[in-house]
Amino acid sequence: MNIMQLDVRQTIIIAIFVLYLGKYLTKKVEFLQNFNIPDAVSGGVLASFFFGILYTIFQFQVEFSLNIRDALLIIFFTTIGLSSKLKTLLQGGKPLLILLSIAVSYLFVQNLTGIAVASIMGLDKRVGVISGSVSLSGGHGTAIAWASIFRESYGIENALEIGIASATFGLVLGGLIGGPVAQLLIKKNNLKVNNTQENLTISVKRGQEHIKIDYDTMLHTLLVLGITIGLGLQLNYFVGLLGLRLPNFVACLLAGIILTNTIPLIFKRFPWPTDTPSLALISDVSLGLFLAMSLMSLQLWTLTEIGISIVILLVAQFLMSIIYSILIVFPIMGKNYNAAVITSGYLGLSLGATPTAMANMTAVTEKFGASTQAFIIVPLVGAFFIDIANAFVIQRFLNLLS
């Protein structure tokens, strides 16, 4: 096996080419455009297939330097926090609790689905949990974290391979299905964006004209971003002393919310970047590059290391996620435009990861209009609350199965 290790600069260059590829595909392939598939998803999936072919046929593996990817994730969620005004947060209070209840309930549904299919296929029932909330709602990080427990305590030697393969499967399909489902709901129910809502998409829309991005506005935005990220990291340090662990990007999101609802009131002459194209552009670029790096670095050959039984189990999980999102999430969240956008994001959460959810919602809102509420409550549920709940749910199922 020949291995090529790329440095940060080379990784960024390839990620940019992947985004160009995605934009080209979206422009040329009508399906991708009509069903709001994010550029980073279409380009990233194709790139991961290419690198997978290099691995399986030519025995040539490309390894990327992904430290910069984590920094891009922090930048992106900081832009979300800086775009979150208090009145929007107050509007999101009740929907946040509702979505959290729905998401926690689905952790049980996801594991029960996995256990049922695993039993039918003659697999260890705990494999259904691995290919349930561990790897799908939890993602790659949770799958890796729990793999040793499944291996050492329950004798599932290939728990890591199953977990990573399941998380990879979910991440890809979570980015592909969110847009089409949202489009179906919007068109079928003739939904319109609320005209009284702020015109905030956290994105520069395609074809948008008269955008003012100059030296001064970009410099102000970068200054605020740097200060906010620093505050967020310090906030996370102090929270850690209290015994509560937060992902860095969640702390930076919260720091952005705090600053954007206080500093403009105190220093009224300082040009705060909320609602500016500069902030939206940085948000777009950071999310696009993050998702492109995440998808192009997926080791798709791990999917070949699992049996047909696991594939059937994952297909069942995929279908259950769609059914639950359409029949439960959308109606309970209000059957309105916000609910449709939230549903597209939730599909990304339940199958992949929070950035996938954000990419789904960005693609939808670029086409149909803003949904500020969705951009606040979905990342808070997906990036913080659901991980805490998932740990308890996983342990509960393992105790029951024991």
Side-chain angles (χ1 to χ4, degrees), residues 150-179:
F150 280 94
R151 184 179 63 253
E152 296 168 5
S153 300
Y154 303 104
I156 303 176
E157 295 298 328
N158 59 342
L160 180 61
E161 290 76 13
I162 294 173
I164 291 177
S166 300
T168 301
F169 177 93
L171 187 64
V172 172
L173 292 186
L176 291 175
I177 196 61

Side-chain angles (χ1 to χ4, degrees), residues 234-282:
Q234 284 299 118
L235 177 65
N236 205 17
Y237 171 75
F238 288 116
V239 169
L241 295 179
L242 300 176
L244 179 61
R245 296 179 60 186
L246 291 176
N248 280 331
F249 64 87
V250 174
C252 291
L253 169 71
L254 296 175
I257 293 173
I258 293 170
L259 291 184
T260 209
N261 288 285
T262 54
I263 299 300
L265 300 177
I266 301 171
F267 302 99
K268 296 184 178 181
R269 288 193 170 188
F270 185 83
W272 199 252
T274 301
D275 297 340
T276 62
S278 295
L279 188 65
L281 182 60
I282 293 173

Side-chain angles (χ1 to χ4, degrees), residues 16 61 64 68 76 95 105 126 159 193 207 210-211 213 227 241-242 256 305 331 371 395 402:
I16 292 173
Q61 182 177 353
F64 301 96
I68 187 65
F76 171 70
S105 298
R126 297 177 188 86
V193 64
H210 309 299
I211 299 175
I213 300 177
I227 294 172
L241 295 179
L242 300 176
E305 298 173 5
S371 177
Q395 191 59 60
S402 296

Side-chain angles (χ1 to χ4, degrees), residues 92-339:
K94 184 177 178 180
L96 172 64
L97 295 176
I98 294 173
L99 182 61
L100 178 59
S101 300
I102 294 171
V104 172
S105 298
Y106 188 64
L107 296 176
F108 290 90
V109 174
Q110 203 165 46
N111 285 330
L112 288 172
T113 300
I115 290 170
V117 177
S119 299
I120 293 172
M121 303 303 297
L123 300 171
D124 188 316
K125 293 179 181 180
R126 297 177 188 86
V127 171
V129 180
I130 298 174
S131 294
S133 73
V134 171
S135 57
L136 296 179
S137 290
H140 287 82
T142 304
I144 293 171
W146 281 85
S148 59
I149 296 175
F150 280 94
R151 184 179 63 253
E152 296 168 5
S153 300
Y154 303 104
I156 303 176
E157 295 298 328
N158 59 342
L160 180 61
E161 290 76 13
I162 294 173
I164 291 177
S166 300
T168 301
F169 177 93
L171 187 64
V172 172
L173 292 186
L176 291 175
I177 196 61
V181 168
Q183 171 125 334
L184 170 68
L185 295 173
I186 291 169
K187 293 292 182 66
K188 181 180 179 181
N189 296 281
N190 194 28
L191 303 176
K192 303 293 182 183
V193 64
N194 186 354
N195 292 326
T196 63
Q197 190 177 19
E198 293 179 48
N199 187 23
L200 177 63
T201 313
I202 325 289
S203 173
V204 177
K205 296 180 182 178
R206 293 189 179 95
Q208 190 173 351
E209 298 179 351
H210 309 299
I211 299 175
K212 182 184 178 183
I213 300 177
D214 56 26
Y215 179 87
D216 288 334
T217 58
M218 186 60 73
L219 197 62
H220 290 312
T221 303
L222 291 174
L223 173 62
V224 171
L225 270 173
I227 294 172
T228 306
I229 291 172
L231 176 63
L233 296 177
Q234 284 299 118
L235 177 65
N236 205 17
Y237 171 75
F238 288 116
V239 169
L241 295 179
L242 300 176
L244 179 61
R245 296 179 60 186
L246 291 176
N248 280 331
F249 64 87
V250 174
C252 291
L253 169 71
L254 296 175
I257 293 173
I258 293 170
L259 291 184
T260 209
N261 288 285
T262 54
I263 299 300
L265 300 177
I266 301 171
F267 302 99
K268 296 184 178 181
R269 288 193 170 188
F270 185 83
W272 199 252
T274 301
D275 297 340
T276 62
S278 295
L279 188 65
L281 182 60
I282 293 173
S283 177
D284 276 355
V285 172
S286 57
L287 176 61
L289 287 174
F290 171 86
L291 205 56
M293 290 180 188
S294 297
L295 289 170
M296 74 188 193
S297 62
L298 288 178
Q299 297 178 341
L300 291 182
W301 53 86
T302 59
L303 295 177
T304 64
E305 298 173 5
I306 60 175
I308 187 65
S309 299
I310 303 296
V311 173
I312 294 173
L313 193 160
L314 291 172
V315 170
Q317 292 283 24
F318 175 64
L319 295 176
M320 178 59 72
S321 182
I322 296 174
I323 293 170
Y324 188 84
S325 297
I326 294 176
L327 298 183
I328 303 297
V329 178
F330 178 65
I332 293 180
M333 293 308 299
K335 288 188 176 181
N336 53 24
Y337 177 74
N338 278 337

Side-chain angles (χ1 to χ4, degrees), residues 10 23 35 38 203 245 276 350 353 364 380:
Q10 294 165 329
K23 289 181 181 296
F35 289 96
S203 173
R245 296 179 60 186
T276 62
S350 62
V364 173
L380 284 176

